[in-house]
Amino acid sequence: MISVVTITYNNCSELKSTLDSINRIENIESVVINGGSSEDTLELLSKHHGIAVSEKDEGISDAFNKGARYSHGQAVAYLNSGDVLLDREYYLWADRVFTEDPSIGFVYSDIFFTDSIVGQTIMRPRGKLKSDLGKGMPFPHPSMIVRREIIEQIGGFSKDYKIAMDFDFVVRLLIAGHRGVYYPHTTVCMDGGGVSTSNESLGITECKKSLLQHGVFHGKTLMDFKIRSFNYQFRTAIKAIFGNQALSLLKTLKSKLK
């Protein structure tokens, strides 16, 4: 069984879309961690066929960890409120992989990322090795499904990070030597209005903090991180001069050059 953890905070309509996308999938346990108190969300969760916990938390990491603690599946997926599962076969495939091969620690895939400025983009894995961490989050987080015992083993999500807790989690996951398997399809549509999207600068700063903390900020990782930082500064400068439309143009040009 796969436990699908959804964290939410007073966004009932987005939560409903997420839960509808995973409804009635065989061998799926839905766990909702609700940090808000809006009446419409509480009403929705009163009819939820799964586990629903509505109480204050200490932030995103605390909600993620709470979701894992309430889960019973052999592996945990994190599908946040507003994200929508597109490929219902993905969770069934993952459940079979974990059952048949105990050496597999996690699985991951491509996702669609929806942004109000640049539209919809396919986000693919940036790498799969420890040396790829300088490029940023190597696996699209909404597609990751991780064995529950591994989440416990590496200590879950750190409350020291406001945005890059998923990146820091993956740094520790790869350092621990766990092996992942790629599912070559686009499985999730991710809502681009999240905290990390609106605070990219802080996210980059926290990624650097994690790389330094775990002793991997050197060599190829360091060079990749410098390139990532330069690209962010370049995009920021273009946006400041030409506005949001320039970002859409850059995306179009990039796609044509591929």
Side-chain angles (χ1 to χ4, degrees):
M1 182 173 68
I2 302 294
S3 296
V4 184
V5 172
T6 300
I7 66 171
T8 187
Y9 186 84
N10 293 342
N11 55 347
C12 183
S13 61
E14 291 88 349
L15 175 61
K16 186 177 185 304
S17 296
T18 301
L19 296 181
D20 285 347
S21 75
I22 63 173
N23 188 33
R24 297 184 180 178
I25 300 178
E26 189 178 346
N27 283 340
I28 293 300
E29 173 189 58
S30 175
V31 181
V32 179
I33 305 299
N34 172 35
S37 58
S38 62
E39 291 185 7
D40 52 356
T41 300
L42 294 174
E43 173 65 21
L44 175 65
L45 293 178
S46 69
K47 304 170 185 176
H48 178 55
H49 299 294
I51 298 169
V53 179
S54 295
E55 60 187 22
K56 289 184 178 180
D57 53 56
E58 298 175 24
I60 297 173
S61 291
D62 185 40
F64 280 160
N65 292 334
K66 192 180 296 183
R69 288 197 301 272
Y70 277 97
S71 299
H72 302 92
Q74 64 176 330
V76 178
Y78 287 94
L79 193 69
N80 292 338
S81 183
D83 298 340
V84 174
L85 181 69
L86 303 176
D87 186 345
R88 292 168 66 87
E89 173 62 25
Y90 180 47
Y91 289 161
L92 301 176
W93 171 85
D95 197 33
R96 292 194 298 270
V97 167
F98 289 123
T99 299
E100 294 170 3
D101 191 345
S103 72
I104 301 302
F106 62 99
V107 298
Y108 57 97
S109 72
D110 302 340
I111 67 169
F112 281 122
F113 179 83
T114 302
D115 183 88
S116 60
I117 297 173
V118 299
Q120 194 173 74
T121 304
I122 295 180
M123 293 182 66
R124 294 186 169 88
R126 290 191 174 103
K128 60 181 181 179
L129 304 175
K130 190 168 59 175
S131 59
D132 295 317
L133 288 167
K135 300 174 184 177
M137 183 67 176
F139 317 109
H141 184 249
S143 79
M144 288 191 71
I145 309 175
V146 185
R147 285 191 186 273
R148 191 156 53 90
E149 63 193 53
I150 290 177
I151 296 175
E152 297 169 357
Q153 175 195 338
I154 66 176
F157 294 84
S158 173
K159 296 179 186 178
D160 292 338
Y161 296 86
K162 294 182 178 180
I163 292 177
M165 69 288 294
D166 54 350
F167 177 80
D168 177 72
F169 175 85
V170 169
V171 171
R172 288 180 280 120
L173 181 74
L174 293 180
I175 287 176
H178 295 294
R179 183 165 69 94
V181 172
Y182 173 61
Y183 180 78
H185 302 283
T186 306
T187 61
V188 173
C189 183
M190 179 182 179
D191 178 13
V195 175
S196 60
T197 306
S198 58
N199 293 278
E200 188 176 356
S201 178
L202 176 58
I204 291 174
T205 299
E206 288 193 342
C207 286
K208 180 179 179 179
K209 172 184 173 181
S210 177
L211 293 170
L212 285 168
Q213 179 181 350
H214 300 296
V216 291
F217 195 59
H218 53 77
K220 180 178 181 296
T221 301
L222 174 58
M223 291 303 299
D224 285 341
F225 183 85
K226 287 183 177 180
I227 294 171
R228 180 190 178 193
S229 297
F230 172 81
N231 288 338
Y232 167 71
Q233 292 167 4
F234 176 73
R235 292 196 311 274
T236 302
I238 291 295
K239 181 179 177 181
I241 298 171
F242 300 106
N244 289 334
Q245 275 191 318
L247 298 180
S248 298
L249 179 59
L250 285 174
K251 177 191 172 184
T252 302
L253 291 173
K254 183 179 179 181
S255 64
K256 289 183 177 180
L257 290 173
K258 286 184 177 179

